[in-house]
Structure formats: structure tokens, C-alpha cells
Amino acid sequence: MGDKLISSKVCITVVFQGSWRIVPGTGAMAARSFNKLPRVGRASIKRSWQHLNSDKVILQDNIKKIKVMVGPDTRNSFGARYFVYDKVPQLKFHNPDIRFRKSDSTNDTSLLVTLNDGTTETLDVKGKDPDEILQFIKERFGVADDQTVTKTSEQ
């Protein structure tokens, strides 16, 4: 199962330690690997479901929207950018009534939380990683565990 000649003029596929590569000089395709996770099918749906349920954070009912303001400094705003990519879908899944937005800002990286009565709270998340931001939101706006049980039983 070593080397396999597909076509003498097109390319040569070389199987080595679970991956295959197109031999350079053919101009065909870049290297690929069999070790990549599938993006379709039952396995990807299961992974997505597990990811959405991994950090169950239920927020208070008085929150209307959360806006992540991402600053231009890439070192200090990386955590906020990855928070939008990784943690916001989990928060949306468990809190469907809250609107989440990402906006580029010329100022520092921050989180704007708008409550139902119209007041806005600004949280500085400059230089924090996504888990720290999620923990900060959970401590400040999360529902206590005993309230979580009653909230889920009402639905």
C-alpha cells in the first residue's frame, strides 16, 4: 500500500504514516491529511452538539443584548475575537432571547451589556483569554445554580 501511481502525467500519491501527499513538481494540489476531522455527517453533528453543551452558562433575564467591541490591537483583542468564535455560540444556544453582536472598535477591547431597562454596562476584556471572559460574564450576569433548575423546569 506504499506508493501508488495514479497517472504518469498528472501526479504521484505517496502514502506515508496515515497521510497522503501530492508529489511536488506536478502542480496539482497541496498536501492533505487523513487525520482531519470530517465536516459533514453524524460525527460532526455530535461534535457540534457536545461543543454547544460543554459550557452551560445561563444568563439573567434582564439582559437585552451583549456587544463585543474588538479593538485594533491584535495582541490585546485576540481573546475577544476567539471568544466571539468559540464561546458566543454556546451562550446563544443556552440564551436564545439575548442578542449578541461583534463590532470593530477604534478604542480598546470591551464588552457592552445592555439591560432591559436601557442601562449599559461596559466590561474591559483587554488582554483576557476567552475562558476568562466567559468566567467574568458568568460571575457578573450568570444565574445561580438553584435558579437554573427552576428556570429550565419552567420551559
Side-chain angles (χ1 to χ4, degrees), residues 45-63:
I45 293 171
K46 184 179 178 182
R47 261 194 328 280
S48 298
W49 184 258
Q50 289 172 344
H51 179 70
L52 288 174
N53 286 313
S54 63
D55 290 325
K56 187 172 184 177
V57 176
I58 296 179
L59 301 175
Q60 299 169 1
D61 291 333
N62 64 343
I63 298 175

Side-chain angles (χ1 to χ4, degrees), residues 59-60 63 115 121 123 135-142:
L59 301 175
Q60 299 169 1
I63 298 175
L115 304 177
E121 293 189 29
L123 309 171
Q135 187 64 29
F136 189 60
I137 290 174
K138 187 177 183 179
E139 290 171 0
R140 179 67 181 90
F141 298 106

Side-chain angles (χ1 to χ4, degrees), residues 101-118:
R101 291 188 54 212
K102 175 195 168 265
S103 176
D104 292 332
S105 170
T106 58
N107 299 331
D108 289 336
T109 302
S110 61
L111 210 67
L112 298 173
V113 179
T114 305
L115 304 177
N116 286 335
D117 60 358

Side-chain angles (χ1 to χ4, degrees), residues 57-68 88-101 111-116 137 141-143 151:
V57 176
I58 296 179
L59 301 175
Q60 299 169 1
D61 291 333
N62 64 343
I63 298 175
K64 186 176 183 179
K65 66 180 175 179
I66 296 177
K67 186 176 185 180
V68 182
V88 167
Q90 296 170 354
L91 287 170
K92 278 184 182 179
F93 182 73
H94 294 293
N95 304 289
D97 297 334
I98 299 174
R99 291 186 349 191
F100 292 87
R101 291 188 54 212
L111 210 67
L112 298 173
V113 179
T114 305
L115 304 177
N116 286 335
I137 290 174
F141 298 106
V143 175
K151 187 175 180 180

